[in-house]
């Protein structure tokens, strides 16, 4: 409880938090950029980080939360997986949208940023709370190791 009050996460929760901060930074840099090549590079980097993160998170954390005895955990996991699908669809739409400096593409970037922000806010409040209730610190640590390994495998497949 003290760790949670201090905002200190354990295992997979810390890994997820770190990834969230990295993606938020990439999205902010993309939004601030007025250089086409830089936006394209940052968008590719964001996709390369976001998609393996989401898939590994589903496999390692959400599937276990889906099997929880706690209804709140099960509901959170289903909502999180739906949000991941929406994010993936939106990334595909942006990939095909054309000029990253256009007003339309910038609007889609803002939507992506809002989707990510909403997902992260819910996950780091409700989702992390569910995980802390459902799993021991040791389980969270083990899940963190599995998450990192799976994310690494998915990133290598995408490369």
């Amino acid at each position: 409880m003290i760790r949670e009050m201090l905002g200190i996460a354990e295992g997979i929760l810390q890994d997820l938090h770190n990834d969230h901060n990295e993606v938020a930074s990439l999205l902010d840099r993309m939004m601030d950029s007025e250089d086409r090549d830089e936006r394209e590079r940052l968008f590719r980097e964001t996709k390369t980080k976001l998609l393996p993160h989401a898939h590994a998170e589903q496999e390692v954390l959400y599937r276990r939360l889906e099997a929880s005895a706690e209804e709140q955990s099960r509901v959170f996991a289903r909502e999180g997986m739906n949000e991941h699908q929406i994010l993936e669809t939106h990334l595909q739409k942006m990939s095909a949208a054309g000029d990253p400096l256009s007003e339309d593409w910038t609007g889609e970037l803002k939507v992506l940023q809002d989707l990510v922000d909403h997902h992260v806010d819910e996950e780091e409040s409700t989702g992390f709370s569910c995980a802390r209730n459902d799993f021991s610190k040791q389980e969270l640590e083990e899940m963190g190791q599995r998450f990192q390994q799976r994310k690494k495998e998915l990133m290598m497949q995408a490369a």
Side-chain angles (χ1 to χ4, degrees), residues 46-97:
T46 300
K47 281 185 5 182
T48 301
K49 293 186 183 303
L50 195 54
L51 294 174
H53 164 96
H55 293 168
E57 179 179 59
Q58 285 180 201
E59 292 175 22
V60 176
L61 177 62
Y62 286 12
R63 284 189 183 151
R64 291 203 47 197
L65 287 172
E66 258 190 320
S68 174
E70 299 295 324
E71 182 181 6
Q72 184 178 22
S73 296
R74 294 190 309 270
V75 168
F76 169 78
R78 285 192 300 273
E79 287 176 3
M81 286 191 282
N82 287 336
E83 289 174 1
H84 283 175
Q85 183 58 52
I86 291 166
L87 285 170
E88 194 164 338
T89 300
H90 196 75
L91 287 169
Q92 291 168 351
K93 179 180 179 182
M94 289 179 72
S95 293

Side-chain angles (χ1 to χ4, degrees), residues 9-156:
E10 37 301 291
I12 191 170
L13 305 182
Q14 184 64 54
D15 296 332
L16 296 174
H17 177 74
N18 293 345
D19 284 1
H20 295 160
N21 286 342
E22 187 175 4
V23 168
S25 173
L26 288 167
L27 291 170
D28 287 343
R29 288 171 45 209
M30 205 181 325
M31 188 61 82
D32 292 343
S33 177
E34 295 180 15
D35 179 87
R36 179 175 285 104
D37 291 338
E38 181 182 26
R39 269 196 171 187
E40 288 174 351
R41 181 186 58 75
L42 290 168
F43 182 67
R44 282 192 306 275
E45 186 177 350
T46 300
K47 281 185 5 182
T48 301
K49 293 186 183 303
L50 195 54
L51 294 174
H53 164 96
H55 293 168
E57 179 179 59
Q58 285 180 201
E59 292 175 22
V60 176
L61 177 62
Y62 286 12
R63 284 189 183 151
R64 291 203 47 197
L65 287 172
E66 258 190 320
S68 174
E70 299 295 324
E71 182 181 6
Q72 184 178 22
S73 296
R74 294 190 309 270
V75 168
F76 169 78
R78 285 192 300 273
E79 287 176 3
M81 286 191 282
N82 287 336
E83 289 174 1
H84 283 175
Q85 183 58 52
I86 291 166
L87 285 170
E88 194 164 338
T89 300
H90 196 75
L91 287 169
Q92 291 168 351
K93 179 180 179 182
M94 289 179 72
S95 293
D99 183 4
L101 291 180
S102 71
E103 287 182 16
D104 288 343
W105 199 92
T106 300
E108 296 297 341
L109 175 58
K110 177 64 176 142
V111 169
L112 176 64
Q113 204 168 27
D114 290 347
L115 288 168
V116 169
D117 287 347
H118 168 79
H119 179 75
V120 167
D121 287 347
E122 254 186 27
E123 187 167 276
E124 291 197 7
S125 59
T126 305
F128 282 19
S129 178
C130 289
R132 284 187 179 102
N133 289 333
D134 283 7
F135 310 116
S136 68
K137 182 177 192 282
Q138 181 177 344
E139 287 174 307
L140 292 171
E141 294 293 338
E142 290 167 358
M143 290 165 76
Q145 292 170 6
R146 285 197 310 277
F147 170 76
Q148 288 296 343
Q149 180 60 39
R150 185 62 181 137
K151 186 174 73 167
K152 183 178 176 182
E153 292 167 2
L154 291 166
M155 288 177 90
M156 288 192 309

